[in-house]
Amino acid sequence: MINDTLKDAEAKMGKATEVTREEFTTIRAGRANAALFSKIMVEYYGTPTPLQQVASIQTPEPRVAVVTPFDKSALGAIERAIRDSDLGVNPSNDGAIIRVPFPQLTEERRKEFIKVAKTKAEDARIAIRNIRRSAKEALEKIAKDGDAGKDEVARAEKALEDLTTKAVSHIDDMLKHKEAELLEV
């Protein structure tokens, strides 16, 4: 039971870390990147649809993304969805494809993105601490029920702390990397 609790906590912490990594890829760092479009929803035949399901996205140049719709009738809706997104870009439509130029980030915008990254990192840390708390409660219940000895539970709690420390330091490393990426000119 103790091993199951620890494995479950480790899996959940890994998932929280992975979600944070995905969130960080959606923060623009001045370069065009297909992952920036992952959260954009397009109104396609009256249904909100992820952009990747209605168009292909390429980045032929470092500061330009090209969005090619699978259905040309969705061109206007895709352009509108990109313009209304929080990317801060102005797409141009030539009738067949949409070009999305990414302007150079201003210092103020970089600082805003760093704040967003810090907020996402803190949310991940909170999620990891919540996972630790629920796993610790499960371990205490195991000890209270007499399913394991106090020494075993104490070792498991130490292992849980090690898992938590490792996951939080991984989040911190990702945040440092994202900050460096945002600050490079």
Side-chain angles (χ1 to χ4, degrees), residues 156-173:
E157 286 178 352
K158 173 126 178 53
L160 182 63
E161 281 303 315
D162 292 343
L163 285 174
T164 304
T165 304
K166 184 176 154 189
V168 168
S169 70
H170 192 67
I171 297 289
D172 292 340
D173 289 345

Side-chain angles (χ1 to χ4, degrees), residues 102-153:
F102 285 86
Q104 186 74 21
L105 290 176
T106 63
E107 190 64 30
E108 180 182 317
R109 194 79 168 131
R110 289 176 195 274
K111 288 180 180 173
E112 283 178 36
F113 284 143
I114 288 173
K115 284 181 186 175
V116 169
K118 286 182 177 179
T119 302
K120 290 179 189 287
E122 185 57 33
D123 290 346
R125 287 188 209 103
I126 290 169
I128 288 169
R129 288 193 292 266
N130 287 340
I131 293 165
R132 176 188 60 193
R133 183 173 11 93
S134 62
K136 194 168 170 81
E137 288 169 359
L139 290 172
E140 288 170 358
K141 184 176 180 335
I142 289 170
K144 189 177 124 190
D145 292 347
D147 293 339
K150 290 184 180 182
D151 290 345
E152 286 179 88
V153 172

